[in-house]
Amino acid sequence: MIISFHADADPRQIQAVRTKLESASSKLHLEQLTGTERVVLAAIGDASRVQELGLEGMPGVDHVIPIGSPYKLASRDVAKDNQHSVVNVGDVSIGANNFCLIAGPCTIENREQALADAAAVADAGASMLRGGVFKPRTSPFSFQGLGVAGLQILAEMRDQTGLPIVSELTEISYTEQVAEVVDVIQVGARNMQNYALLQAVGKTGRPVLLKRGLSSTLDELLMAADYILKEGNSEVILCERGIRTFENATRFTLDIAAVPYLKEHSHLPVIVDPSHAPGNRNLVPALSAAAAAAGADGIIVEVTKEPENALCDGPQQVYASKFPQLVEKVRAHAALEGKKIS
Ligand code: PEP
Ligand code: MN
């Protein structure tokens, strides 16, 4: 951590900062550099408590510049031997040489639709199933999902196919009910910075799929992951799902660079949502292939038999009849990266 003082900071103000740092940790070494115009203080060593001190607000302080990453537990630095983590969900592994193909409808609308979609994607080789029952809709007048009644349908989808289920939790009050049924709890883009929800899913110990917020930086995503990891839950999967940019030809802009960046800076597995980013099914196969080619550990893709009748996200859902083709395309690109669909 570097503390840079204003040019007119007086020696008592600098001493007050030194005293505060010294009282925070005996393991900190302070190195003071006195230039012609200003003083700079480097705090070297155990900086874990320095962030809490509020040095930025002290008289005389101009900037406080952290040197290490702002995220801790999600950082690659804390991984044993710098290794990437693997999240296991039943027989399915996410990470290492596995490519996890999560597929299913955007939303569980009724039992018949959900079971038909589950069977179709399972037949085509999906590793896990998706389906929302608590839907975070932009308008309160849009279909909000079946809620608790949909959980029973998710359980039937798993019974019928033998595949694990990913589904979103939007409210803390449903945490236990959702954790009882689903194998992976999704925290959606709109809730990436809902810190109480992150802590709640952290406490369940269930694997968590954490989506990047619509306007969140990658460092913010990793700090959100820290909230879950801090609760002792190490089973976190990161998901790039497109961000807001000036481009409006697509619904969001898929930030493909997020994949290698997150892989370089974090030990957590990284997957891509190629559906919500473009909002257009014609672009989904190319973005799925791009995700695999960029080294992602999987994708979560929306697939349904009759997207034209869907109550949510119809235009981006891939026809179940076309899904086998997408699987083959992704399989080939994943293979080039040394990964096999798990
Ligand atoms: C979803 O996966 O159903 C969803 C709503 O995604 P996002 O949170 O990325 O918008
Ligand atoms: Mn959707």
Side-chain angles (χ1 to χ4, degrees), residues 106 130 135 276 302 312-313 316:
C106 169
R130 64 149 289 143
K135 295 303 299 176
H276 290 88
E302 291 190 343
C312 181
D313 288 347
Q316 72 197 30

Side-chain angles (χ1 to χ4, degrees), residues 88-93 162 164 342:
N88 293 304
V89 183
D91 297 336
V92 180
S93 297
S342 55

Side-chain angles (χ1 to χ4, degrees), residues 112-302:
E112 195 190 5
Q113 163 253 2
L115 294 181
D117 288 345
V121 299
D123 282 352
S127 335
M128 272 198 237
L129 302 177
R130 64 149 289 143
V133 296
F134 296 100
K135 295 303 299 176
R137 302 305 301 277
T138 304
S139 164
F141 302 107
S142 303
F143 178 57
Q144 303 285 310
L146 294 179
V148 174
L151 292 173
Q152 186 50 40
I153 301 175
L154 290 176
E156 279 191 63
M157 289 163 73
R158 178 180 42 226
D159 291 347
Q160 181 186 282
T161 59
L163 299 181
I165 303 286
V166 183
S167 197
E168 179 166 355
L169 171 70
T170 51
E171 266 184 60
I172 296 178
S173 55
Y174 292 116
T175 307
E176 260 180 51
Q177 279 163 290
V178 168
E180 239 171 63
V181 173
V182 313
D183 302 280
V184 177
I185 303 175
Q186 177 172 320
V187 173
R190 288 155 191 81
N191 272 313
M192 188 204 88
Q193 287 181 312
N194 180 340
Y195 301 120
L197 187 70
L198 297 175
Q199 285 167 332
V201 297
K203 289 196 176 88
T204 65
R206 276 250 177 269
V208 178
L209 196 165
L210 176 62
K211 292 187 128 189
R212 179 183 186 182
L214 329 179
S215 301
S216 297
T217 66
L218 294 172
D219 282 3
E220 286 164 346
L221 170 64
L222 292 168
M223 285 186 269
D226 267 357
Y227 270 90
I228 302 167
L229 298 164
K230 190 164 178 278
E231 295 303 322
N233 186 347
S234 56
E235 312 294 295
V236 179
I237 305 152
L238 304 170
C239 180
E240 161 59 35
R241 48 80 69 209
I243 50 173
R244 283 235 197 274
T245 66
F246 57 82
E247 179 56 72
N248 59 10
T250 50
R251 194 174 170 196
F252 296 96
T253 300
L254 184 70
D255 179 10
I256 202 71
V259 176
Y261 180 93
L262 291 170
K263 285 271 170 194
E264 187 178 333
H265 292 88
S266 176
H267 59 92
L268 299 171
V270 179
I271 69 166
V272 167
D273 177 339
S275 303
H276 290 88
N280 170 354
R281 76 174 65 86
N282 296 341
L283 308 187
V284 172
L287 298 189
S288 303
D297 297 303
I299 55 171
I300 177 165
V301 57
E302 291 190 343

Side-chain angles (χ1 to χ4, degrees), residues 5 17 24 29 34 42 53 78 80 87 94 96 108 124 130 132 136 161 170 176 209 231 233 271 319 337:
F5 292 88
V17 171
H29 169 69
T34 306
L53 298 178
V78 304
K80 197 168 169 276
V87 171
I94 304 129
I108 304 301
R130 64 149 289 143
T161 59
T170 51
E176 260 180 51
L209 196 165
E231 295 303 322
N233 186 347
I271 69 166
Y319 279 93
E337 289 303 304

